[in-house]
Amino acid sequence: MTLHMLGKDPNSPEGKSATVYYDDVADKYLVQGLKVLDEERLAQLDLPGHETVVEIPPYMTQFFPEVNGGGTDV
């Protein structure tokens, strides 16, 4: 498996988050962001115990190939 970093949040104070990765074997995206801890928002989700939710700024979607015209060939 090779993870490809597609983009990192240029506004991150320490340059560590949010980040979008692509796993070329599983053909899936991995998104690093702030873990959602707000109980009110989590209560609105049908979230299984083995999953979590992270949030990223809207401008981070520019790194997804389907958004930026790059397709899935990363």
Side-chain angles (χ1 to χ4, degrees), residues 23-43:
D23 178 334
D24 63 2
V25 172
D27 190 30
K28 296 190 186 262
Y29 295 104
L30 287 78
V31 178
Q32 176 185 340
L34 297 172
K35 187 173 182 180
V36 176
L37 301 173
D38 178 10
E39 293 298 326
E40 185 175 343
R41 290 197 288 165
L42 290 172

Side-chain angles (χ1 to χ4, degrees), residues 47-58:
L47 191 64
H50 65 279
E51 293 183 2
T52 192
V53 176
V54 299
E55 59 185 344
I56 61 173

